Amino acid sequence: MATGVAAPEVRERSIGAVLRTPVGPPVRALLLVVLGVLAALAVSTARPAAAAAKGPSVGAELTRLVAAGQLDPTVATSYRDADRRARATLKKLSGTRRVQLAAVVSHLDAAAAGGLMAPSRLPALFLTLQRNRAFWAAAPLPAAGQRLTFAHSQIVWQFYPGQGLQIQWLGTFGKANALWAARTRDDDLRALLDEALGLATQRAGGLAFEYLFTFDGGRPPWVSGLAQGTALSALARAAVRLKDPKYFEAARAALGIFRTPPPAGIRVATPAGAHYLQYSFAPRLHIVNGFTQALNGLRDFAVLANDPEGQALFAAGEAQLRAELPGFDTGAWSLYSVPGPESDLGYHRLLRDFLLGLCDRLTEDRRRAAAAPAPAPPPSSTMPDTGGTPVAPAAPPPVPDPALYCDTAQRFTADLHTRPVVTVTPGPLRAKAAGVVRYSVSKVSTVTVTVVRQGVVVLSRTARVGHGEHRLGVRPARAQPLLVRVRAVDLAGNAGAGEVRLTVAPAARKHPAH
């Protein structure tokens, strides 16, 4: 049965269970969450019948794969058994439990109808079905976003309301990196990676760790540069620690999505090099924390395996991150994405930590390169005959300067302790007429605007706003001065304030009708 898990005993600095909070007024944020859950519930209950009507059934697809020699008949029988039991259990459930298991069944039906039941994808699909059947039949209801593991397994799962339990690959490989850091959990590290590789899918000419549920408008199966980059780190580190080259081979196969454009892969070619997407289904959405962590993973593999393709993929991505990172720094906080809002507190810290990781890696690479002796040229007898001067071996590529990443991480750390700057702009107001109060804040904050007339509060509004200029509509009742106070509290709890006294002109005279 499942057991709750937040993380192993030792956590890697850069990985944690981070939930994204929308930036906006608290009521609107809550509404968005509620609407999202309701939409997920509607999809989960409606999709099975639609999927079955549009394409082959799960059983038909299993039969086809067996007939094509792509699936062992015994394995196919076990999958049919799991499918039958899940549907039988579903009929006995009600309420939340029924909704969650129905969603997982619907994803399986959609995969069959859409021709997505590739042999390599079946282990993850049917394990997800089996885990959800067992969990929703008997286990206590989890909290939204809760992560957990099952007995005799290292894989991390997460509860997504309306979609049941799903494999959380970022959490799984974050756990693997933490086991590596612990230095005393090598057996668990090996078990986790072997289990994870058994659930990988053939995709983009290599191996990929796919997500099998709908997320932010993306339909399954999709992949993430953030999760796959974290996997590269874990696999490369384990290859060295465990002295087992099969993990290097697996990491090399996992490079496929980094060389392939979406939707199969995550590579978006740019004039500087390449951007690696957080989500393969969103090619125009550039999320900087996921991109940075993808580069950390590529660097770990490239250096530890001394792999030329890994080095080339890292170099292309690093050149692009160097070009676009300044655009994610507002001067007082980080942006989560482009296009998109500022980071919430968890993602601001996460980006800072990923940048520190890249800073540390490149600093170490530079130190090692400076300490390495220059390669001696080979004896003349082994030099290639070029018809002229012998050609010396090519020098290794220079290590990128880490200063940009180190400095940006330091600024993002400082942002956690810096008060928001608030500016209230004077402007004309008139009694009995609609007007506006203009103010600006330097970073995402919860802002309270208070309007006072002769010591009495006549208006007070509170909202979550992003950096930049904002306006609040007012309609003064009298031609008396107003004191406008704006107090902003940023996501880290730092407070700043500003105020201005506004003159209110008398109401416009009404001209008599002619």
Side-chain angles (χ1 to χ4, degrees):
M1 185 49 65
T3 56
V5 59
E9 287 80 351
V10 179
R11 295 175 58 188
E12 184 179 35
R13 178 181 66 186
S14 61
I15 298 293
V18 181
L19 299 179
R20 182 179 176 193
T21 302
V23 174
V27 173
R28 179 174 178 272
L30 178 59
L31 179 61
L32 289 172
V33 172
V34 172
L35 290 176
V37 171
L38 291 177
L41 296 181
V43 169
S44 68
T45 55
R47 186 174 291 167
K54 292 180 180 179
S57 67
V58 172
E61 280 297 276
L62 292 174
T63 298
R64 180 186 66 80
L65 292 171
V66 171
Q70 296 178 293
L71 184 63
D72 181 89
T74 303
V75 175
T77 298
S78 70
Y79 288 158
R80 286 194 185 91
D81 227 20
D83 184 47
R84 178 183 55 77
R85 290 181 180 180
R87 294 173 196 273
T89 298
L90 181 61
K91 293 178 181 178
K92 301 175 183 178
L93 300 179
S94 61
T96 297
R97 296 178 185 276
R98 179 177 177 82
V99 167
Q100 308 312 318
L101 182 55
V104 175
V105 171
S106 78
H107 288 316
L108 184 62
D109 284 337
L116 298 174
M117 287 182 61
S120 64
R121 189 172 290 127
L122 297 184
L125 278 171
F126 282 94
L127 180 64
T128 300
L129 183 70
Q130 292 167 322
R131 293 302 197 200
N132 276 272
R133 172 188 171 270
F135 187 89
W136 298 113
L141 295 180
Q146 182 176 333
R147 291 182 176 183
L148 50 89
T149 57
F150 287 81
H152 312 297
S153 171
Q154 297 287 345
I155 300 295
V156 176
W157 298 75
Q158 185 163 335
F159 173 40
Y160 292 88
Q163 302 203 74
L165 302 181
Q166 299 291 337
I167 298 174
Q168 179 34 271
W169 286 119
L170 177 60
T172 295
F173 288 112
K175 178 181 178 182
N177 281 307
L179 294 172
W180 171 84
R183 296 182 177 275
T184 58
R185 305 281 299 277
D186 288 356
D187 288 344
D188 289 334
L189 174 60
R190 185 187 298 275
L192 184 154
L193 294 179
D194 289 347
E195 188 178 3
L197 290 174
L199 299 172
T201 300
Q202 293 289 333
R203 182 180 179 130
L207 292 178
F209 301 96
E210 294 180 334
Y211 287 90
L212 300 176
F213 60 98
T214 301
F215 184 76
D216 270 5
R219 295 182 179 180
W222 51 271
V223 290
S224 163
L226 172 58
Q228 194 100 344
T230 305
L232 289 177
S233 288
L235 290 166
R237 289 165 166 177
V240 176
R241 171 72 59 74
L242 304 176
K243 297 181 175 59
D244 192 337
K246 78 175 183 182
Y247 298 119
F248 274 146
E249 294 169 7
R252 191 169 289 109
L255 297 179
I257 66 169
F258 291 95
R259 70 171 82 96
T260 307
I266 57 170
R267 182 188 183 94
V268 176
T270 69
H275 179 97
Y276 301 123
L277 299 169
Q278 181 134 322
Y279 304 122
S280 58
F281 57 79
R284 294 182 178 86
L285 181 63
H286 289 195
I287 299 174
V288 67
N289 67 68
F291 185 19
T292 304
Q293 178 64 359
L295 291 182
N296 282 332
L298 283 169
R299 178 270 176 195
D300 287 347
F301 169 68
V303 169
L304 295 176
N306 192 25
D307 184 84
E309 184 181 18
Q311 292 166 359
L313 292 171
F314 172 77
E318 193 278 328
Q320 177 59 24
L321 180 61
R322 186 173 294 275
E324 67 179 75
L325 181 60
F328 287 90
D329 186 353
T330 70
W333 203 254
S334 66
L335 294 181
Y336 173 76
S337 63
V338 175
E342 287 157 279
S343 304
D344 70 10
L345 181 60
Y347 279 117
H348 181 81
R349 286 173 171 159
L350 189 72
L351 173 57
R352 184 272 314 271
D353 288 347
F354 286 159
L355 289 170
L356 282 175
L358 188 53
C359 165
D360 292 345
R361 286 168 167 87
L362 293 180
T363 299
E364 171 60 21
D365 291 347
R366 282 209 154 191
R367 184 202 63 76
R368 188 170 54 250
S380 58
S381 60
T382 64
M383 296 293 286
D385 183 5
T386 62
T389 304
V391 179
V399 178
D401 185 352
L404 172 64
Y405 310 117
C406 303
D407 294 345
T408 304
Q410 289 177 357
R411 285 197 300 276
F412 287 166
T413 297
D415 291 342
L416 295 168
H417 308 285
T418 303
R419 295 181 178 184
V421 176
V422 180
T423 303
V424 188
T425 306
L429 292 175
R430 183 177 293 277
K432 308 294 185 181
V436 295
V437 171
R438 292 181 173 84
Y439 67 93
S440 64
V441 291
S442 61
K443 61 170 75 172
V444 55
S445 302
T446 298
V447 171
T448 299
V449 181
T450 306
V451 181
V452 180
R453 183 175 58 229
Q454 294 185 330
V456 177
V457 175
V458 296
L459 179 68
S460 182
R461 296 287 186 271
T462 299
R464 172 78 63 79
V465 301
H467 74 294
E469 185 176 273
H470 303 276
R471 301 193 302 174
L472 175 67
V474 295
R475 190 180 182 91
R478 306 172 192 170
Q480 295 175 330
L482 296 176
L483 178 63
V484 179
R485 296 171 176 155
V486 179
R487 184 174 188 269
V489 180
D490 72 12
L491 302 182
N494 305 297
E499 64 178 46
V500 69
R501 187 172 295 276
L502 302 179
T503 300
V504 180
R509 292 184 178 182
K510 294 183 179 180
H511 298 287
H514 294 289

